[in-house]
Amino acid sequence: MKEHAEASPYRVVDARFVAGAVETEGLLAPTLVEVAFAGRSNVGKSSLLNSLMQRHGLARTSRTPGCTRQLNVFEVRCADGLATHFVDLPGYGWAQRSKAERGQWQGMIEGYLRRRASLRAVAVLFDVRRGLEDEEQQLLEFLRGRREVSEPKPLEVILVATKTDKLGSSERTLALKGIAKDAGAPVVGFSAVTGEGWEALWKRIRGAVL
Ligand SMILES: Nc1nc2c(ncn2[C@@H]2O[C@H](COP(=O)(O)OP(=O)(O)OP(=O)(O)O)[C@@H](O)[C@H]2O)c(=O)[nH]1
Ligand SMILES: [Mg+2]
């Protein structure tokens, strides 16, 4: 466990797997507000979740893209009483997937993002070395449409550049600045290896769910 996390008021006191579903209809009725984590396959969604929740191996990770094939819901509780659901979404853009499977993914994810009333924020993850590509732009466009119909609070979209440990510090700073400028929005740099961005991301999440 990371020292910074141990000392933080955001310290996670309980994190558990609640349920998995292959379609939105299979999900339990929401009992807590939710934050979903989306991004292409292999970008590091499940690793980031384990890091945020301070639990190794709770969300399954793999070097092989396409590891997470269903919506996985986790319940997280912090020392100060904050409770939320985190939803690990299957990754998109997995080249080996058939067209039918891609269509299925899109239907499932879009259905979830469109209809889930308890959804307060979506973290859109992308590799810091790639930035925002077509798929991310499409997802952001879709979320902008969804934002407008959210009540009572607009849906928060949190841009997260993952695997920042793969770049040297000056390259990393430049890349993050460039992406934020292009996106016209702040970007959280995150590394599941070093823990960089842990507190910054929790802050954004708490701002959306509280
Ligand atoms: N260096 C580095 N590697 C990472 C980081 N995060 C994830 N990885 C690696 O990237 C690979 C994919 O990570 P996952 O967390 O399984 O990715 P995912 O986005 O959940 O993938 P799918 O479930 O297939 O959509 C694994 O080999 C991880 O160890 C990071 O911050 N730094
Ligand atoms: Mg995964």
Side-chain angles (χ1 to χ4, degrees):
M1 258 355 72
K2 312 269 181 321
E3 274 168 43
H4 61 268
E6 286 293 313
S8 169
Y10 309 164
R11 185 168 49 91
V12 174
V13 292
D14 190 31
R16 62 184 69 192
F17 174 72
V18 179
V22 289
E23 52 186 338
T24 320
E25 284 68 29
L27 284 174
L28 298 171
T31 50
L32 290 174
V33 290
E34 284 175 8
V35 180
F37 296 80
R40 70 178 69 235
S41 212
N42 219 40
V43 74
K45 296 175 295 298
S46 302
S47 303
L48 174 140
L49 277 165
N50 285 332
S51 169
L52 268 184
M53 297 189 290
Q54 300 169 251
R55 297 290 185 279
H56 293 294
L58 189 55
R60 273 196 56 216
T61 63
S62 167
R63 240 175 297 178
T64 316
C67 175
T68 309
R69 294 291 196 105
Q70 55 175 15
L71 296 153
N72 286 322
V73 184
F74 300 89
E75 184 177 313
V76 190
R77 290 178 189 275
C78 295
D80 64 352
L82 177 114
T84 180
H85 278 161
F86 282 169
V87 182
D88 189 7
L89 299 173
Y92 53 80
W94 182 34
Q96 282 158 22
R97 227 172 244 191
S98 69
K99 210 173 171 185
E101 257 191 304
R102 279 206 298 273
Q104 209 185 356
W105 180 92
Q106 207 168 0
M108 170 169 78
I109 304 299
E110 287 190 3
Y112 168 80
L113 294 174
R114 186 174 284 129
R115 289 194 290 272
R116 195 71 169 167
S118 47
L119 186 65
R120 291 288 178 279
V122 181
V124 175
L125 277 60
F126 51 91
D127 191 307
V128 70
R129 295 163 296 179
R130 299 175 75 149
L132 295 165
E133 297 178 293
D134 285 354
E135 283 96 337
E136 286 77 33
Q137 302 289 5
Q138 280 164 26
L139 178 60
L140 292 172
E141 188 60 33
F142 174 83
L143 290 171
R144 270 193 282 277
R146 163 69 162 78
R147 254 182 95 92
E148 287 158 19
V149 298
S150 303
E151 292 288 342
K153 229 178 156 184
L155 182 74
E156 179 87 5
V157 175
I158 306 172
L159 297 178
V160 184
T162 62
K163 307 191 185 183
T164 52
D165 58 282
K166 296 270 192 186
L167 295 179
S169 71
S170 53
E171 265 182 307
R172 183 161 70 223
T173 308
L174 264 180
L176 290 171
K177 259 193 186 161
I179 299 165
K181 188 163 175 262
D182 289 347
V187 175
V188 179
F190 194 93
S191 166
V193 172
T194 65
E196 184 194 356
W198 188 91
E199 189 136 356
L201 184 52
W202 260 116
K203 270 192 186 144
R204 291 288 306 274
I205 289 171
R206 296 172 78 91
V209 302
L210 283 175

